[in-house]
Amino acid sequence: MAPDSEFANASFGKPDFDVVVVGSGFAGLYLLHKLRELGFSARALEAAGDVGGTWYWNRYPGARCDIMSIDYSYSFDPDLETEWQWSEKYATQPEILRYLQHVAAKHDLRRDIAFETRVESATWDKDSSRWLIRTNRGAEITCRYYVMAAGCLSKPKEPEIEGCDCFRGEVYYTSRWPHRGVDFTAKRVAVIGTGSSGIQSIPLIAAQAKQLTVFQRTPNFSIPAHNGPIPTHRLAEYERDRAGYRERARWSRFGVPIELAEIGAMQVSEEERRARYEAVWEAGELVGIGLAFNDIILNPKSNETLCEFIGGKIRAIVTNPETAEALCPTDHYVATKRACLDTNYYETFNLDHVRLVDLRKTPLARITETGIDTTSESFEFDAIVYATGFDAMTGPIVAVNITGRNGVTLRNKWADGPLSYLGLMTTGFPNFFAVTGPGSPSVLSNMTVSIEQHVDWICNCLKDLRDENLEVIEPTATAEAGWVQHVNDCANITLFPTANSWYMGANVPGKPRVFLPYIGGTDAYRTACNEVVARGYLGFVRSGSGQRRVNDGVIRRLQPDVQMLLEAMSALNLPPLEEMSPEAARAFSSELSAVRPPGPEVGEIVDGVLPGAGGDLDYRLYRPATAGPHRVVVYFHGGGWVLGSHDSDDPFCRDLCVRSNAVFVSVNYRHAPEHCFPAAAEDAFAAVRWIADHLETLGGVPGPLVVCGWSAGGNLAAVVCQMARAADGPAICGQVLVTPVTDCDFLRPSYNENGADYVLTKSLMNWFWDHYADPANRTDPKASPLRANDLSGLPRALVVTAEFDPLRDEGAAYAEAMAAAGVEVKHLPCRGQIHTSLTAVDMILSGAGARAEISAAIRQFFHQVEDLVMRDN
Ligand code: FAD
Ligand code: NAP
């Protein structure tokens, strides 16, 4: 966090400008306009010769937007929306550039922009609380606030190919295309790169050139744009209520107001899946890919079905089977690299004068004076076009030598990947903002929506500072670390980190592999940014005029999928279970269980009956698909001793059975209030004894068991271990207690912190205890195992707790108490999880890591037994 002294003594001299802005693309232009509107003095510095940013530089043939024009445009000026008519569904680069020039002219923005002026360094001067900006023109400008609107894709990547400089023919970069245009007529042309720029330009270059050779290292997924007039239904929707349309875009997942799918790809028949994919193909809309089903970027199996579908289309279009195969992506899931929209891309490879060179088979060796050598062939060309991409997101920012507090450079701070709060600011660099910086939705959204949101946020923040007589703002280290964690948590439940994409920095040699943008959605992101402000600029230190306001904290602490689930549940307004009768609560829980994902396939499921302490008990046995016999785990379901059955925990048992490669026997037990304490505990113990005696009949390996349970089932597993110790058997080699009930009092802090908002509430726990045990019985160790006088000699244990669970602290206390008694214990605290997270298989994807650890622990418990047996022999 920022040291006190700096702010206390700061002398706030008058800088040249309130704000210096870098860039004059979509972001820089809107910033200038908005800052002016709010009465700030501002200057934009722009390396290019005019406004436009991306659309100034990328003038290659075929350059267009890939978000529909009506969406890919400003919304801040309602007049602009009526006076500007887009001519096509996807406007060309010249049309978008004309649009931005029109905006600059309409709002008289050029007078505050210095063109052909590249910012080279920016240094924070703590004594005057100003930024010193130096440019290639030698000028030094001072400002209070420094905003980089330098673009995410504005720094071309070096082609890093040997011999680049020695080619004597014409050389072009799609990202720096000559303004005069290029005529390829009668020329032999090479294009290197098959990302969006290559895919858009290749058909048009082919239409002119005598010969075109495309050098492809990695094939990309592309769907046809079906460009033409703006689809009438969309235009009508937009024109009917422009303001409403824009508002829906602002609160949508990707900044485009289209309906999200509500179903996963594997939940429908093959015919329906295909029909939906055909519709995506026909619609020609990039965001449609991810929205065909709600799990395309989450579930590998679902994604593979779309990969296969697109592969089928490519094979149907491209007549040469070898070329078709080379064009089919096989190394990444669709959408994990930016997918492309094309016009006749695959068809172009059917032309006689167009050839694809697959660099995977014959890598590019070098550029020569006359052409290109691969490892197997020499090619001669008149022109080489590099469509080799960008040093994305961080590249343009760290290209400027930015020095913050204490002489620390941003380049050094970000050496292992960018650290930011909300993608807007970074600790140690006061008053420095980035528009659509790393850690914000940016390139995973319709950029115009994200740009407007960032500009509005930054400008309102500056206005708030001014209104409150403050001048300096900087995020705290805690807030930044929390946000970086959240950004990673969001990415890690998706397939994105599996691809070698520029989103991961993988396209630039030596760049750290970190997922750069925020995949949580523009809607969720906007909510977080608004909430930060509503909570008094949570996570920021703001200071000036002798004041210093510290508001430390983390804006998102729940795992993203847990947060979404809680929001969805809150929207359903479900009745509290504790207001129902036990029968009604059981029926309601069963209804909820019926609509969740089923969990993975196992080798075999056998339902049976075993003798309990007070009559027969149902059980369900899960056998792995691998060759047996297997070790056996006895499992007890959750439900506060009142609810649940082997059905309720079925997906969890399947998942653990597959992951741990052990037989799981999920045992039912008598429920309260019909059968109160100690019925459940006695049933659980009777079941363990019976199973231990019948291991071979059940197809298990003779020897010790592992017991496992979740919640009240965790309580029973713990109790059974104590009962087995007292009875001298059966042999148990490990206990896995998942968010267990271990004590009957509600005094630990987790009950207060988490007792109201995270599904398992304090009042529900009260209801469970009231049904299960009289107050006098609750302190019995068979109800509250933490209360046992002696915990020594218990089996090895894994205790899993969830951060946002009322039971967190009693779980942790039991782990600690067992460890203190000499039991080998591992405590696995699950950050950002709630009581019900880990059993929500395929719903709470962030719980999968903990389930993997649980399974590893189970395998480990059994291995230790096997090691002992081997040693004894
Ligand atoms: P830019 O438009 O990149 O402008 C940044 C400006 O900053 C540039 O003019 C640059 O010269 C200047 N600059 C950078 N560093 C310095 C410096 N040190 N000193 C001075 N000036 C500097 N996004 C979509 O959402 N939909 C699309 O369809 C889409 N199509 C795209 C097509 C192409 C070919 C490319 C490359 C990107 C596309 N994008 C698209 C992303 C696109 O970059 C953004 O949509 C948007 O144009 C970014 O605007 P910006 O103002 O933030 O940055
Ligand atoms: P890109 O997606 O990064 O593609 C670069 C291509 O060059 C890749 O095929 C890459 O192969 C290849 N390449 C890079 N270095 C190479 C080397 N040394 N040898 C051989 N091949 C090499 O870049 P882009 O096409 O310019 O697109 C970047 C982003 O800009 C897009 O993802 C999109 O967000 C935006 N964009 C949008 C549009 C649009 O349709 N509106 C158009 C253009 C750009 P590897 O994949 O193997 O690295």
Side-chain angles (χ1 to χ4, degrees), residues 550-561:
V550 182
N551 186 4
D552 204 3
V554 170
I555 187 69
R556 288 287 172 263
R557 294 176 58 208
L558 286 164
Q559 289 286 342
D561 44 2

Side-chain angles (χ1 to χ4, degrees), residues 55 58 60 63-67 153 157-161 174 192-200 215-218 220 337-341 359-360 364 387-390 443 500 502-503 507:
W55 306 100
N58 294 266
Y60 60 83
R64 297 172 182 278
C65 53
D66 60 5
I67 297 282
L153 296 161
K157 180 182 84 101
E158 299 298 326
E160 81 271 333
I161 302 170
T174 49
I192 303 177
T194 51
S196 303
S197 303
I199 282 177
Q200 282 189 328
F215 290 86
Q216 171 192 273
R217 191 163 63 185
T218 313
N220 249 309
K337 286 179 114 175
R338 175 84 171 199
C340 309
L341 276 189
L359 297 177
R360 292 276 160 109
L364 208 156
T388 42
F390 299 88
V443 291
N500 285 325
W502 59 257
Y503 298 141
N507 64 329

